[in-house]
């Protein structure tokens, strides 16, 4: 059987013209737009609620914004970027990369901006869509590419609205507020808080970092690529040799093995490097103890930083580990009664990681709603499909691999899988495809059992990896297993319905 997606070189036997709607024009939606066009799908619309592409990289613009995945590994495999200026890609360069790719592959023509999908319902074999603007559309296939971390989580600190200075979430940075010479409090010590503190040290008159749970910090180099290097990287062979893409994937696999087995050599190596970084980088023993985490490294998403420990030791920077009592008109009051007077408070307090495409209301076959299926927690077979939601496929949906590696790579593998489902629909072999209930139920049991063996579960911390039951929601196996699963669907796990039969 030849197919559009699986064997592009063979004779095309497909007849059905599918109309495909993609929700979201971030990295994953752009990928879908490229791959659908490449496959010859003619009727594609990508709906984007904002007025620009970019997702995470559009919404996050905070000072110091960087991706901790090495630049050359944070690209589409089919569109490398010789022009990265640094070893770790700055947020603005990532946004520019996606804008360039969107234009180069003609994806911009497919996007309708300022259209927020509010409802999708499967009726009479098609997805019927409603938008906040009043616009309506329908599609044979609906692809959700709405991202993972995009609903800011605001802390429940009393008095936040009383603050007379400027207060904003890291993902809603107010660029009209001057920073130099100001007294700034940053709440939160995830990757975001650490990057912001590193960028603002030396600029603020006073920089207070409010840390409830200290984090392990993995040292990383973030040098510049020279002009000569960038010129040389235009040759794909030079780039391949310099970056060793296959070797990097082996490292990603070892990293995921370390999460599964904290006694593995990889886990021990990472733990030793974090410990050495703390011991050698922080000279004041009191500060060092305040910065020492009590949980195991990798329990939370590991923080890679070239300069946080240096930043927090600069004059004007202060670590505050005393718990926050409340926010008042002039600053933050800690439990010891001290009032910390501030001009700006930044909430680097993370995101609601369980929202995915919600608050969009999605109703599948026979009136089955997403809210019912996800009543206890978000779930999807192999992170891609759900029973009773035919022809609805997710990129970076729940239970997929999320960690210190490239989500672009993850989405490409997922597309390889989804493409094969679309092949069946286009060839007319099936009119409706989704996983069976049994397949999802078994996946859930296996996934939950495996999740409870990971360091995310038993490492002594709380993190956004955990669902409402305290079970890690991310892919709990090795990266290599994910890659293997994405090679080809197990058709016995799929319900393929033909309307003709
Ligand atoms: P996060 O990892 O969820 O961290 C949130 C921080 O806010 C934690 O330190 C948390 O403390 C703190 N916090 C929350 N509520 C608080 C309260 N009421 N009082 C005091 N502290 C409070 O969020 P994030 O740093 O934005 O990162 C989210 C994810 O985005 C990352 O894990 C990563 O996946 C992604 N990210 C990636 C990069 C990158 O370089 N690739 C950069 C930035 C972000 P507790 O730990 O005590 O809960």
């Amino acid at each position: 059987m030849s197919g559009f997606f699986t064997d592009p070189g063979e004779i095309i036997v497909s007849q059905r013209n599918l109309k495909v709607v993609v929700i979201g024009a971030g990295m994953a939606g752009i990928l879908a737009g490229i791959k659908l066009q490449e496959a010859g799908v003619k009727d594609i619309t990508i709906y984007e609620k904002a007025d620009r592409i970019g997702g995470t990289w559009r919404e996050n613009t905070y000072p110091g914004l960087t991706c901790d995945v090495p630049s050359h590994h944070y690209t589409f495999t089919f569109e490398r970027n010789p022009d990265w200026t640094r070893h770790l890609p700055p947020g603005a360069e990532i946004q520019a990369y996606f804008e360039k790719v969107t234009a180069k592959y003609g994806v911009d023509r497919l996007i309708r901006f300022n259209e927020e999908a509010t409802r999708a319902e499967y009726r009479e074999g098609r997805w019927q869509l409603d938008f906040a603007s009043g616009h309506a559309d329908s599609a044979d296939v609906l692809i959700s590419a709405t991202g993972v971390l995009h609903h800011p989580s605001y802390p429940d600190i009393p008095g936040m609205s009383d603050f007379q200075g400027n207060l904003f979430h890291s993902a809603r940075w107010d660029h009209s507020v001057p920073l130099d010479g100001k007294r700034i409090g940053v709440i939160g010590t995830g990757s975001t808080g650490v990057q912001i503190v590193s960028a603002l040290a030396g600029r603020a008159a006073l920089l207070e970092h409010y840390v409830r749970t200290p984090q392990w910090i993995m040292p990383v180099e973030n040098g510049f690529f020279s002009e000569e290097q960038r010129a040389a990287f235009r040759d794909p062979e030079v780039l391949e040799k310099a970056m060793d893409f296959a070797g990097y994937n082996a490292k990603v696999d070892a990293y995921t093995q370390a999460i599964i087995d904290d006694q593995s050599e990889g886990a021990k190596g990472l733990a030793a490097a974090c410990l050495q970084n703390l011991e050698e980088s922080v000279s004041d023993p009191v500060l060092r103890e305040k910065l020492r985490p009590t949980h195991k490294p990798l329990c939370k998403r590991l923080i890679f930083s070239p300069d946080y420990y240096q930043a927090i030791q600069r004059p004007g920077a202060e670590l505050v580990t005393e718990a926050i009592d409340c926010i008042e008109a002039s600053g933050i009051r800690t439990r010891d009664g001290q009032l910390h007077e501030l001009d700006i408070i930044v909430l680097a307090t993370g995101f609601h990681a369980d929202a995915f495409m919600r608050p969009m209301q999605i109703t599948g076959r026979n009136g089955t709603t997403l809210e019912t299926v996800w009543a206890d927690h978000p779930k999807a077979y192999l992170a891609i499909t759900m029973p009773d939601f035919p022809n609805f496929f997710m990129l970076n949906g729940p239970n997929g691999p999320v960690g210190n590696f490239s989500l672009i790579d993850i989405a490409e593998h997922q597309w390889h899988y989804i493409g094969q489902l679309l092949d069946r629909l286009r060839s007319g072999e099936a009119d409706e495809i989704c996983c069976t209930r049994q397949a999802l139920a078994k996946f859930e049991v296996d996934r939950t059992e495996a999740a409870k063996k990971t360091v995310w579960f038993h490492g002594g911390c709380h993190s956004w990896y955990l669902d409402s039951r305290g079970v890690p929601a991310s892919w709990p196996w090795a990266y290599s297993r994910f890659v293997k699963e994405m090679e080809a669907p197990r058709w016995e796990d799929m319900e393929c319905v033909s309307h003709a039969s």
Side-chain angles (χ1 to χ4, degrees):
M1 174 75 234
S2 68
F4 275 98
F5 293 88
T6 45
D7 302 302
E10 291 184 28
I11 298 163
I12 292 167
V13 297
S14 172
Q15 320 85 3
R16 197 173 164 214
N17 290 321
L18 293 181
K19 174 168 178 177
V20 182
V21 160
V22 180
I23 306 291
M27 169 277 290
I30 295 165
L31 172 71
I34 294 170
K35 293 292 177 183
L36 285 164
Q37 291 184 101
E38 217 172 83
V41 175
K42 297 277 179 279
D43 201 343
I44 311 161
T45 307
I46 302 174
Y47 287 101
E48 167 56 55
K49 69 177 187 302
D51 60 0
R52 281 196 309 146
I53 62 112
T56 294
W57 304 107
R58 178 195 63 233
E59 295 196 5
N60 285 280
T61 57
Y62 59 77
L65 176 69
T66 305
C67 181
D68 58 13
V69 176
S71 303
H72 289 281
H73 301 284
Y74 196 72
T75 65
F76 292 121
T77 50
F78 53 86
E79 188 63 37
R80 299 292 185 194
N81 175 21
D83 296 324
W84 296 116
T85 59
R86 302 196 68 158
H87 293 189
L88 301 179
E93 284 188 32
I94 301 172
Q95 176 68 16
Y97 166 78
F98 284 126
E99 282 172 6
K100 198 170 150 195
V101 171
T102 304
K104 176 172 172 181
Y105 288 84
V107 177
D108 42 4
R109 292 193 302 267
L110 311 174
I111 306 174
R112 284 190 63 155
F113 290 106
N114 301 308
E115 288 287 8
E116 181 177 359
T118 52
R119 265 167 39 91
E121 190 174 344
Y122 194 70
R123 282 199 310 266
E124 291 154 19
R126 279 176 82 77
W127 284 99
Q128 310 291 336
L129 295 143
D130 291 317
F131 295 81
S133 64
H135 175 66
D137 200 353
S138 66
D140 299 300
V141 173
L142 182 59
I143 306 284
S144 171
T146 54
V148 187
L149 300 170
H150 55 113
H151 294 285
S153 171
Y154 287 84
D156 191 12
I157 302 174
M160 279 208 312
S161 58
D162 297 337
F163 186 57
Q164 294 297 301
N166 298 99
L167 179 148
F168 43 81
H169 191 276
S170 57
R172 300 284 180 271
W173 197 272
D174 184 346
H175 289 278
S176 69
V177 177
L179 304 168
D180 293 308
K182 300 293 180 191
R183 299 166 301 173
I184 306 174
V186 177
I187 303 177
T189 186
S191 302
T192 304
V194 162
Q195 290 183 353
I196 293 171
V197 167
S198 304
L200 295 185
R203 287 184 64 183
L206 170 69
L207 179 63
E208 291 189 331
H209 193 194
Y210 289 80
V211 169
R212 184 166 69 180
T213 312
Q215 292 257 51
W216 289 107
I217 311 273
M218 183 73 185
V220 63
E221 293 285 322
N222 189 18
F224 288 87
F225 290 114
S226 67
E227 269 186 39
E228 292 73 31
Q229 282 174 307
R230 283 188 265 151
F233 291 160
R234 299 201 174 282
D235 179 341
E237 278 182 25
V238 173
L239 186 64
E240 170 72 53
K241 205 162 165 218
M243 295 304 152
D244 184 15
F245 294 111
Y248 180 78
N249 286 344
K251 283 188 198 158
V252 170
D253 199 50
Y255 180 86
T256 53
Q257 295 285 1
I259 287 163
I260 300 166
D261 176 7
D262 66 1
Q263 293 308 308
S264 64
E265 285 310 307
K268 286 181 186 165
L270 285 165
C274 290
L275 183 61
Q276 186 182 7
N277 191 24
L278 175 67
E279 301 291 359
E280 292 181 0
S281 308
V282 185
S283 51
D284 174 0
V286 176
L287 180 65
R288 198 187 311 133
E289 289 322 300
K290 283 185 171 183
L291 285 166
R292 192 183 299 277
T294 54
H295 57 265
K296 290 185 182 173
L298 300 184
C299 183
K300 287 170 177 267
R301 186 182 183 279
L302 194 56
I303 294 180
F304 286 76
S305 173
D307 50 5
Y308 172 74
Y309 285 147
Q310 289 70 29
I312 200 66
Q313 293 176 90
R314 286 182 73 142
E318 276 180 34
L319 183 77
V320 183
T321 51
E322 189 68 33
I324 296 172
D325 185 40
C326 63
I327 294 180
E328 299 181 4
S330 58
I332 294 176
R333 192 174 291 280
T334 43
R335 289 262 165 86
D336 56 5
Q338 190 185 341
L339 177 65
H340 303 249
E341 294 196 0
L342 296 166
D343 303 307
I344 301 164
I345 298 176
V346 177
L347 306 173
T349 45
F351 299 86
H352 294 287
D354 62 348
F356 295 95
M357 53 277 194
R358 295 183 285 185
M360 190 177 164
Q361 289 173 24
I362 306 184
T363 306
R365 223 162 26 197
N366 308 321
T368 310
T369 64
L370 184 71
E371 289 311 313
T372 322
V373 179
W374 285 8
D376 41 4
H377 57 271
K379 52 177 94 78
Y381 170 75
L382 293 177
I384 284 178
T385 154
M386 295 177 291
D388 291 321
F389 291 77
N391 305 350
F392 174 79
F393 308 121
M394 288 171 275
L395 289 165
N396 289 319
N399 316 138
V402 179
N404 291 84
F405 41 80
S406 167
L407 276 189
I408 306 178
D409 174 63
I410 300 303
E412 279 195 41
H413 285 290
Q414 290 174 330
W415 189 268
H416 180 73
Y417 184 102
I418 292 171
Q420 293 170 70
L421 305 180
L422 296 186
D423 273 348
R424 282 229 165 164
L425 294 172
R426 298 184 77 201
S427 69
E429 282 176 279
D431 293 305
E432 296 185 358
I433 300 181
C434 56
C435 70
T436 64
R437 288 192 188 146
Q438 295 85 336
L440 177 59
K442 179 168 185 329
F443 178 73
E444 271 292 284
V445 169
D446 294 350
R447 180 184 74 75
T448 303
E449 196 183 311
K452 289 183 176 172
K453 294 179 184 151
T454 62
V455 68
W456 298 323
F457 185 73
H458 62 69
C461 77
H462 186 270
S463 78
W464 62 264
Y465 284 141
L466 306 179
D467 67 19
S468 54
R469 307 166 299 171
V471 174
S474 289
W475 183 262
W477 299 288
Y479 168 79
S480 48
R481 174 165 169 167
F482 168 75
V483 171
K484 186 102 196 88
E485 289 282 7
M486 291 298 106
E487 276 174 8
R490 273 186 253 133
W491 292 106
E492 65 274 21
D493 284 351
M494 293 293 159
E495 186 189 348
C496 298
V497 175
S498 180
H499 292 160
S501 59

